[in-house]
Every structure is written in structure tokens, then in C-alpha cells.
Amino acid sequence: MVIASLLFFVVALPFTSIAQIHLTGDIPISRLIDTASSKLGISVRYDPATLRQSVTIRSADPMSDKELWRQLNDSLRAIEYTTVAQETPGSYEVVQLRSAVGSAFIEQIDSDHSQYPPAGFRAVLISTSPLDPTSAVTLVQPLVSPTHGKVVALPGSGEVLIADLSTRVSVIETTLDRVKNAEGEIVIEPIRAPPGRAVEYTSVIKQLAER
């Protein structure tokens, strides 16, 4: 195993560099990993003996940091590999896609990991309130990758565990946010009681609210 890591520290925050890099032609995936690691200021552990493939890139334009990271993860996914986050923020490992569920570090929303590029495959704990976790799982199950993804309700915690490709996790997070906002939305509108029946009307509304 080798670890591709940044040889020097930069002042800029991770994943915010605006400098671009130009890559074209047949590029070994190991070189792509090393380049992304150095450029983004992250550490990536991988086994060069199992990553001997090359990727062909044809582009007249230089790539930004985000495009470079996306290109790396797309190239890995094409050969059934991916990146997963490790416990230390900014550290990753290249693993086979089929074993990613058991290898990915479980992230909390708004943890320090969010300051770094999202791994190609992520495991995330997400709050479902005001939805109960079981209902949330039923809602997002169709969005989960049928071959590599997983979503599990954690009863009593108000959370679900989602493990899937980063692009799918983003869609699931957005979907849950929309539903949670809709569920929690309260609209207050004035209601005019019929003339002479205000007390009776108030009593009926109170009984309905208490049901």
C-alpha cells in the first residue's frame, strides 16, 4: 500500500483552490490519484499493484480541483473501485466498490469531513425529524443504488444511515430536506366565525385540534 499525500501545506482552505491543471492523453490511474492528492491537499491510500489501469482524457481545457476529483472518482467507478473517507478528515482510501459499504467512515452532518472533497462513496447519518426513520427509508429507497447502496432506519434515534455513491447521497439528502421542510411547515390563517356563533365555533375547532 502507498499513500499519496501533499508534500507541502497550503494556506488556502481544502478544496477551495482556483488554480487549474491540464491533463490529456492516456494517464495511469495511479498518477491521477497522486495528482489529485497533491493538488487538493489530501491523503489517498491505495494499492498500486491493483490499480494498473489507465484512463484516456481528451480535453482542451484545464480542470479545476472539483473537476479533477470528479474525474478521478468517475475513472475509479468505471473499473469498480471508489474512494471512501477515513476517520481523519482529508484522508481517503481507494477500495473495491463492492466493499465500500463496510469500509467507509460514517460521517455526521456538518462534521469536519464536510470541509474536504466528498468521497466517491459515502456513509452518512442524517436526521429525519419530523419524519420517523422508517417512513424516511420508505421514501428514499427508490433513490438508493440497487447494487451498492444501503439505507437503514435507526429506531429511536430520529436518524437514518445512508451509504451510497456520493452523487446519490446528495440527491437523497436534498429529497429528505424538501420533505422535512414541507412536513414542518405551519401556515396560520385567520378564520371568520359565523355571526353569533363564535363560542360554538371555537369549541368545535378546539375539539378537532385535540384529536
Side-chain angles (χ1 to χ4, degrees), residues 140-209:
V140 303
Q141 188 67 60
L143 303 176
V144 178
S145 171
T147 53
H148 306 296
K150 185 177 183 180
V151 56
V152 180
L154 304 177
S157 69
E159 295 180 319
V160 293
L161 171 61
I162 298 173
D164 209 336
L165 296 169
S166 181
T167 50
R168 291 192 179 242
V169 171
S170 295
V171 172
I172 292 171
E173 287 177 323
T174 300
T175 301
L176 281 176
D177 282 342
R178 288 176 178 173
V179 173
K180 288 191 296 182
N181 290 336
E183 284 284 326
E185 186 177 35
I186 300 176
V187 178
I188 301 176
E189 296 181 352
I191 300 177
R192 186 178 298 278
R197 301 181 62 186
V199 176
E200 178 184 352
Y201 204 65
T202 301
S203 177
V204 171
I205 293 177
K206 183 179 179 181
Q207 291 178 35
L208 290 173

Side-chain angles (χ1 to χ4, degrees), residues 2-205:
V2 301
I3 298 179
S5 59
L6 187 65
L7 299 180
F8 55 90
F9 292 97
V10 295
V11 177
L13 290 174
F15 211 40
T16 59
S17 172
I18 60 175
Q20 297 182 318
I21 188 170
H22 190 271
L23 294 174
T24 186
D26 294 333
I27 301 173
I29 287 184
S30 58
R31 179 191 165 196
L32 197 59
I33 295 173
D34 294 344
T35 300
S37 174
S38 178
K39 187 71 170 56
L40 277 62
I42 58 177
S43 296
V44 183
R45 182 191 299 268
Y46 69 100
D47 183 357
T50 60
L51 295 174
R52 299 177 180 274
Q53 300 89 335
S54 294
V55 57
T56 301
I57 299 177
R58 302 295 184 202
S59 175
D61 300 322
M63 289 186 285
S64 66
D65 288 359
K66 289 185 178 181
E67 291 169 336
L68 176 61
W69 184 244
R70 188 182 306 119
Q71 178 66 65
L72 170 59
N73 281 287
D74 287 347
S75 299
L76 288 171
R77 189 163 63 248
I79 59 171
E80 294 296 307
Y81 278 79
T82 189
T83 56
V84 294
Q86 297 187 301
E87 183 175 0
T88 301
S91 296
Y92 304 82
E93 184 175 6
V94 176
V95 300
Q96 290 184 313
L97 196 50
R98 66 188 180 190
S99 63
V101 170
S103 302
F105 175 75
I106 300 177
E107 306 170 36
Q108 297 275 359
I109 294 296
D110 297 329
S111 68
D112 290 341
H113 287 78
S114 63
Q115 300 177 32
Y116 292 85
F121 189 101
R122 299 175 63 202
V124 186
L125 282 176
I126 299 178
S127 171
T128 63
S129 179
L131 291 175
D132 68 88
T134 302
S135 297
V137 167
T138 301
L139 173 69
V140 303
Q141 188 67 60
L143 303 176
V144 178
S145 171
T147 53
H148 306 296
K150 185 177 183 180
V151 56
V152 180
L154 304 177
S157 69
E159 295 180 319
V160 293
L161 171 61
I162 298 173
D164 209 336
L165 296 169
S166 181
T167 50
R168 291 192 179 242
V169 171
S170 295
V171 172
I172 292 171
E173 287 177 323
T174 300
T175 301
L176 281 176
D177 282 342
R178 288 176 178 173
V179 173
K180 288 191 296 182
N181 290 336
E183 284 284 326
E185 186 177 35
I186 300 176
V187 178
I188 301 176
E189 296 181 352
I191 300 177
R192 186 178 298 278
R197 301 181 62 186
V199 176
E200 178 184 352
Y201 204 65
T202 301
S203 177
V204 171
I205 293 177

